[in-house]
Amino acid sequence: MVKVITYGTYDLLHYGHIRLLERAKALGDYLIVGVTADGFDQTRGKINVHQSLMERIEAVKATGLADEIIVEEYEGQKIDDIIKYDVDIFTVGDDWQGKFDYLNEYCKVVYLERTEGISSSEIRSKEREISLGLIGESQVLNKIINESKFVNGIKISGIYALNTKRINQENLDSYKLYSSYDELLNNSDAIYIISRPKYHYEQIKKALLNNKHVMCEAPISTSKEETEELFALAKERGLILFTAIKTAYSTAYNRLKVLVKSGKIGKVISVDATCTSLESRIDENTWSSFLEWGPTALLPIFQLLGTDYLSKSIISHIENDRDKFTKIDFRYETSVASLKVANGAKSEGDLVITGTKGYIYVPAPWWKMDYFEVRYENQSSNQRYFYQLDGEGIRYELVAFAKAIETKKNTACIIDLVSSEIANLVNDFIKQKDVKLI
Ligand code: CTP
């Protein structure tokens, strides 16, 4: 019996896939189809696969061409599978020509002609393309533009900025620069906002009233009440209002969260986060350290300990009307938390989560998390966790936003309560409530 194996994502199964499977089957007597797991696809850079693994498996099964279906979960698995299933022929479309020649050592490798004119990516991008308008003055806009290129179904509709000093020339040349926010709204299905937080409330409200979905860099606004009002408005209108903090979308951060919640380090006693940077340019686009870093540093604190803290104290060092350094201490019923943020001072940007059985250490810069360690008194029990992080998490954040719009379900990694509490802190900070100056 000649055994054949082939692999693929098989998202939105199409004619090209079926033709490939038919020819693969005809190469032998028994066909094994490897369907890629969701996490594995992400590491290969396919990040807006529409169907779940189960749906894709069902679709391959429904063709009646596969004798056996397996899941492909890790790099190097093909060699293991070929040995394990005693495979005679490995086959794949010729878009992979040459890439799998190394398998010749284990079985025969056959590249089949790819069917012209059809692909999952093409179907995905035709299905729904969200035109995303960008508003703001930050250099982060350049990253959003860049990362959007990796996400099927998102197209940048243009930019509106009060000034364009920090936007790259090639982006200014490639995208339409609108002269008013209204014009940007008229030409977009959704808006990404990274303007100064004091403008967020008005900008978000206007977008929602114009039936546009919104993704806004945290804080959503500068008060809890306004933030709650905006979430309620979005809900009422069936729109997505998404808080953007890229770290919340990193795979490592999400694994860390579930490990902590499942008791891996016992009960959490303290969360300590530091985020600092030195600004090379100081101009009207320079943010205060708390507005620049506060929401990111607050994320693990509020997500791991909740938002019901009993008291807090804020200490800031201000120069030229801008806080260069801010430290906040929180007291909870049975735990504490602290954050240090600076835009104009430098420190070790790590994250430490102290527990009753052990602790988690995330090295600097923890907000670009791709690795962390779970450490115990007995060092031989320590564990290290590595995950791929593409585009600092922005790419995954855009995918989550696009999916939320498509499915009309708010799949955000940050719940409204955390967003509102972040806004509350920003409000205290702006009003200098409980703030001591040094
Ligand atoms: N394939 C093919 N002809 C096509 C599309 C895919 O022969 N028009 C083959 C691929 O070469 C591969 C298998 O089908 O052997 C599964 O491909 P997959 O990557 O799942 O599909 P694509 O449509 O290429 O997906 P994408 O657009 O996301 O890359």
Side-chain angles (χ1 to χ4, degrees), residues 201-392:
Y201 173 74
E202 289 303 333
Q203 287 171 343
I204 295 174
K205 192 163 177 178
K206 191 163 187 173
L208 294 174
L209 290 173
N210 278 280
N211 291 321
K212 309 297 175 190
H213 303 282
V214 178
M215 173 167 160
C216 178
E217 283 295 325
I220 288 288
S221 78
T222 53
S223 90
K224 187 174 185 162
E225 294 70 31
E226 283 177 357
T227 303
E228 284 168 353
E229 179 198 324
L230 292 171
F231 277 119
L233 180 63
K235 206 166 179 192
E236 186 189 306
R237 299 194 147 236
L239 296 164
I240 301 295
L241 171 56
F242 213 79
T243 307
I245 301 178
K246 63 185 185 208
T247 313
Y249 292 85
S250 97
T251 314
Y253 177 74
N254 282 292
R255 295 288 192 275
L256 177 153
K257 248 177 25 186
V258 292
L259 279 185
V260 172
K261 302 243 177 203
S262 65
K264 188 96 180 156
I265 55 166
K267 200 184 143 345
V268 178
I269 296 293
S270 181
V271 177
D272 302 275
T274 303
C275 305
T276 65
S277 53
L278 289 176
E279 266 287 339
S280 49
R281 273 187 292 178
I282 306 284
D283 58 22
E284 75 271 27
N285 292 334
T286 307
W287 289 36
S288 79
S289 71
F290 188 70
L291 290 180
E292 174 92 23
W293 288 114
T296 302
L298 287 168
L299 186 76
I301 297 176
F302 289 158
Q303 289 197 322
L304 296 173
L305 297 176
T307 51
D308 289 330
Y309 54 88
L310 302 174
S311 64
K312 66 170 181 299
S313 72
I314 308 178
I315 298 177
S316 266
H317 173 62
I318 305 214
E319 269 177 41
N320 303 325
D321 292 334
R322 217 168 47 78
D323 75 304
K324 283 199 145 194
F325 175 88
T326 289
K327 183 174 192 304
I328 306 182
D329 285 299
F330 294 93
R331 185 169 66 88
Y332 287 76
E333 188 105 34
T334 56
S335 54
V336 292
S338 74
L339 69 82
K340 268 192 294 191
V341 289
N343 200 10
K346 198 70 195 159
S347 183
E348 182 71 14
D350 57 8
L351 170 68
V352 180
I353 302 157
T354 310
T356 50
K357 291 186 186 154
Y359 70 98
I360 291 184
Y361 174 71
V362 192
W366 72 264
W367 53 92
K368 293 184 190 170
M369 196 185 302
D370 57 0
Y371 164 77
F372 62 87
E373 279 182 49
V374 179
R375 295 179 177 172
Y376 297 99
E377 184 105 311
N378 174 2
Q379 283 183 22
S380 62
S381 306
N382 289 1
Q383 284 168 328
R384 295 164 176 209
Y385 293 81
F386 297 87
Y387 299 93
Q388 176 139 342
L389 179 71
D390 296 303
E392 298 179 16

Side-chain angles (χ1 to χ4, degrees), residues 6-11 14-21 23 36 44 46 49 91-96 112-122 124 152:
T6 188
Y7 295 84
T9 305
Y10 304 103
D11 189 30
H14 55 69
Y15 172 66
H17 294 143
I18 295 171
R19 278 204 61 221
L20 183 112
L21 293 175
R23 286 171 294 154
T36 48
R44 293 192 315 151
K46 276 203 187 187
V49 172
T91 187
V92 72
D94 62 6
D95 40 326
W96 296 97
L112 294 167
E113 199 184 322
R114 186 180 162 92
T115 308
E116 285 301 313
I118 187 156
S119 79
S120 302
S121 309
E122 232 182 276
R124 283 193 292 259
N152 283 134

Side-chain angles (χ1 to χ4, degrees), residues 107-176:
C107 68
K108 187 172 167 193
V109 175
V110 178
Y111 297 102
L112 294 167
E113 199 184 322
R114 186 180 162 92
T115 308
E116 285 301 313
I118 187 156
S119 79
S120 302
S121 309
E122 232 182 276
I123 302 175
R124 283 193 292 259
S125 63
K126 273 196 197 126
E127 229 189 15
R128 51 168 188 101
E129 202 161 50
I130 299 160
S131 49
L132 182 67
L134 313 178
I135 171 165
E137 294 71 37
S138 162
Q139 63 267 33
V140 175
L141 280 191
N142 300 311
K143 289 188 184 175
I144 298 287
I145 290 174
N146 207 28
E147 291 304 311
S148 72
K149 293 175 187 156
F150 295 92
V151 181
N152 283 134
I154 285 193
K155 182 186 85 208
I156 302 296
S157 59
I159 305 167
Y160 170 65
L162 295 177
N163 68 66
T164 56
K165 285 184 194 161
R166 297 202 179 185
I167 302 172
N168 294 346
Q169 192 53 47
E170 67 170 289
N171 288 331
L172 292 172
D173 294 341
S174 313
Y175 296 94
K176 191 162 168 55

